[in-house]
Amino acid sequence: MAGRTKNAFNMGPPPAYKVDDEDTLAPRWYDVKRWGKKVWIAVATIIAIVIIIIVVGVVEGEKKNKYPDYTKLSYSLTDTISGTSFFDEFDYFSGYDPSAGLVHYVDSTVAKQYNLTYASSSTAIMRVDTSVTADTVPNASTGRFSVRITSKKQYSVGNLFVFDVVHTPIGCGTWPALWLSDPANWPTNGEIDLMENVNVVSSAANQMTLHTSSGCSMGVKRKETGKQLTTSCVNTTDGNAGCGVSGSATSFGSGFNSAGGGAMAMELRTEGIRIWQFARASIPSDITGGSPDPSSWGEATADFPNTDCNINNHFRNQSIIANIDLCGSWAGTASVYAESCKCTPLLPFEMERRLIVTVIGSGTCANQVANNATAFTDAYWEFGKFSVYSAS
Ligand SMILES: *[C@@H]1O[C@H](CO)[C@@H](O)[C@H](O)[C@H]1NC(C)=O
Ligand SMILES: *[C@@H]1O[C@H](CO)[C@@H](O)[C@H](O)[C@H]1NC(C)=O
Ligand SMILES: *[C@@H]1O[C@H](CO)[C@@H](O)[C@H](O)[C@H]1NC(C)=O
Ligand SMILES: *[C@@H]1O[C@H](CO)[C@@H](O)[C@H](O)[C@H]1NC(C)=O
Ligand SMILES: *[C@@H]1O[C@H](CO)[C@@H](O)[C@H](O)[C@H]1NC(C)=O
């Protein structure tokens, strides 16, 4: 008789229905048997809603806490760009500026002629021309000579880059950048901006930004010392501002330069993209020693984890690019330029410049580029060595 309960044997006749005082009163809320259909539906609905809220909460909470495992990778040196052959590793871009700047990017011959790129055994300098004025032939009325170089070699996920930067460009109207991209396949193959700012006249915060095609967001858990700006990396949002992070107040411009510059390190891996900026005095010894180990560097300056962005799909065939644009779609925007550059109008006796001033207006970015050559003497990049390590 296994399985039967004791009560089954002792079951007596069913109790008579007992009528008592309670039955004459309104049913109590906990008297489940008396609930009507409507009450049951309401209760079921409430339970369903509670379950949904809990499930959504758990999923959202997990998503919020999701973070990649940046476990240590071993790197070995694959490329060094340095010394007198520094610029041999790059192509000189000499077409129209894709960013609508007032700049004529010159080829390597003209760059050499105007000494816009210059490499010694220890440094490589890339500058904006300061010899052309409004009165020379050629003049700078439709743009000033500058340089944009793109590395011949391209890199994909699984590389660590270390850039020694001695001097960042300064000047009203400038828009310098040190970045990586595949310009022929933008934004499909992504863009990683390591150093960028506009109209820097003293110390400023460096900006580090990704630009991608659709499906890449940084509105996720991140571990970084920099300040998060906009979170969508997609080119069609926020006017193509990208997902930026800004560094410390002395990470670009005079503060950075006067401390001897520093090192920018960027790890491009499946788990994410991390960028560290080190001032010269605090470059880790494993970097100077030539065996960089990002797992020993602490929190990154900018962290772009793969949580909501497939790094392998969005970042491919990246060339190293350095340029100094002038004015253009960021630096030259009237409000942006006016905010950072307080240039005085030309004096009345500067008659020979009157035409340009009338046409393009004084106190504008265009006027600065065309007429104020000496304002660009500090508009130069100075680089030490660039090293690329690949993960084994
Ligand atoms: C070119 O620029 C470099 C770096 O500023 C400088 O040392 C060199 O003298 C310049 N060369 C000429 C020919 O002006
Ligand atoms: C600048 O140079 C162009 C081309 O040589 C010339 O047509 C123009 O008149 C010049 N502008 C000024 C203001 O000298
Ligand atoms: C954004 O990228 C897409 C390709 O992914 C391209 O078709 C579109 O023109 C780009 N838009 C802007 C504003 O850059
Ligand atoms: C990357 O570049 C290589 C060599 O030019 C090319 O074969 C390949 O298709 C490119 N990959 C992508 C995803 O653009
Ligand atoms: C030239 O540029 C300097 C530095 O930005 C600025 O102080 C000066 O006002 C400019 N001069 C003119 C005539 O615009």
Side-chain angles (χ1 to χ4, degrees):
M1 286 308 197
R4 283 193 157 182
T5 67
K6 190 168 162 280
N7 284 336
F9 289 103
N10 300 338
M11 205 153 57
Y17 191 63
K18 189 170 160 261
V19 178
D20 62 18
D21 289 350
E22 283 182 26
D23 287 297
T24 61
L25 299 171
R28 303 236 168 137
W29 67 266
Y30 50 80
D31 196 351
V32 173
K33 281 181 198 153
R34 310 267 173 106
W35 285 3
K37 204 173 161 189
K38 277 187 188 163
V39 177
W40 276 111
I41 289 171
V43 168
T45 307
I46 289 169
I47 290 171
I49 289 172
V50 167
I51 289 172
I52 288 169
I53 289 172
I54 290 170
V55 169
V56 168
V58 167
V59 169
E60 283 300 308
E62 266 175 15
K63 222 162 107 189
K64 223 176 229 165
N65 283 318
K66 217 176 147 202
Y67 190 72
D69 178 10
Y70 285 114
T71 192
K72 174 178 168 155
L73 296 179
S74 299
Y75 288 100
S76 51
L77 183 67
T78 46
D79 292 302
T80 302
I81 304 177
S82 68
T84 51
S85 66
F86 186 95
F87 292 103
D88 298 348
E89 308 303 323
F90 296 88
D91 289 323
Y92 286 63
F93 173 89
S94 57
Y96 277 103
D97 176 25
S99 304
L102 274 174
V103 69
H104 292 307
Y105 287 125
V106 299
D107 60 25
S108 60
T109 311
V110 179
K112 199 158 276 170
Q113 185 188 335
Y114 284 86
N115 204 20
L116 303 186
T117 50
Y118 167 87
S120 73
S121 60
S122 57
T123 67
I125 289 172
M126 213 182 105
R127 71 171 109 246
V128 171
D129 173 66
T130 56
S131 68
V132 170
T133 69
D135 315 317
T136 57
V137 179
N139 59 51
S141 57
T142 60
R144 185 164 288 283
F145 291 154
S146 187
V147 180
R148 170 168 157 163
I149 56 170
T150 308
S151 71
K152 292 171 180 164
K153 189 160 173 185
Q154 296 193 310
Y155 304 90
S156 292
V157 163
N159 286 288
L160 170 67
F161 303 80
V162 179
F163 301 94
D164 188 310
V165 181
V166 180
H167 185 275
T168 53
I170 292 184
C172 234
T174 60
W175 175 7
L178 172 62
W179 47 302
L180 292 94
S181 189
D182 177 9
N185 296 290
W186 188 95
T188 315
N189 283 355
E191 173 184 334
I192 306 166
D193 302 329
L194 302 182
M195 298 199 87
E196 188 176 21
N197 209 323
V198 293
N199 301 319
V200 171
V201 291
S202 55
S203 268
N206 178 43
Q207 204 163 304
M208 295 147 283
T209 310
L210 303 186
H211 296 272
T212 66
S213 55
S214 64
C216 180
S217 167
M218 291 300 144
V220 296
K221 180 174 182 175
R222 309 169 77 171
K223 296 183 180 176
E224 59 193 6
T225 59
K227 183 172 152 250
Q228 174 176 292
L229 305 171
T230 49
T231 54
S232 171
C233 311
V234 181
N235 72 320
T236 50
T237 54
D238 304 315
N240 190 27
C243 48
V245 174
S246 74
S248 79
T250 55
S251 50
F252 204 104
S254 52
F256 178 80
N257 297 345
S258 62
M264 297 300 300
M266 190 269 287
E267 190 184 35
L268 172 57
R269 55 188 283 182
T270 303
E271 292 77 13
I273 295 170
R274 291 185 295 174
I275 301 170
W276 287 261
Q277 183 177 48
F278 302 106
R280 179 76 47 201
S282 43
I283 297 177
S285 58
D286 56 310
I287 287 186
T288 44
S291 347
D293 172 15
S295 72
S296 71
W297 298 342
E299 203 154 280
T301 314
D303 177 23
F304 303 95
N306 71 348
T307 316
D308 203 1
C309 179
N310 185 319
I311 302 295
N312 291 330
N313 290 346
H314 281 292
F315 297 92
R316 292 193 275 216
N317 285 1
Q318 299 283 295
S319 283
I320 299 165
I321 306 175
N323 72 303
I324 307 175
D325 204 343
L326 299 173
C327 304
S329 51
W330 185 5
T333 307
S335 57
V336 173
Y337 184 77
E339 190 186 307
S340 31
C341 296
K342 311 221 163 12
C343 300
T344 56
L346 291 177
L347 298 171
F349 56 77
E350 291 178 291
M351 295 299 283
E352 73 280 6
R353 296 183 188 173
R354 203 174 49 191
L355 180 66
I356 292 172
V357 173
T358 308
V359 172
I360 57 185
S362 65
T364 64
C365 194
N367 180 50
Q368 179 80 348
V369 167
N371 300 314
N372 208 346
T374 53
F376 297 96
T377 49
D378 229 7
Y380 69 93
W381 284 111
E382 182 174 350
F383 300 121
K385 187 169 63 177
F386 288 179
S387 307
V388 185
Y389 302 82
S390 64
S392 49

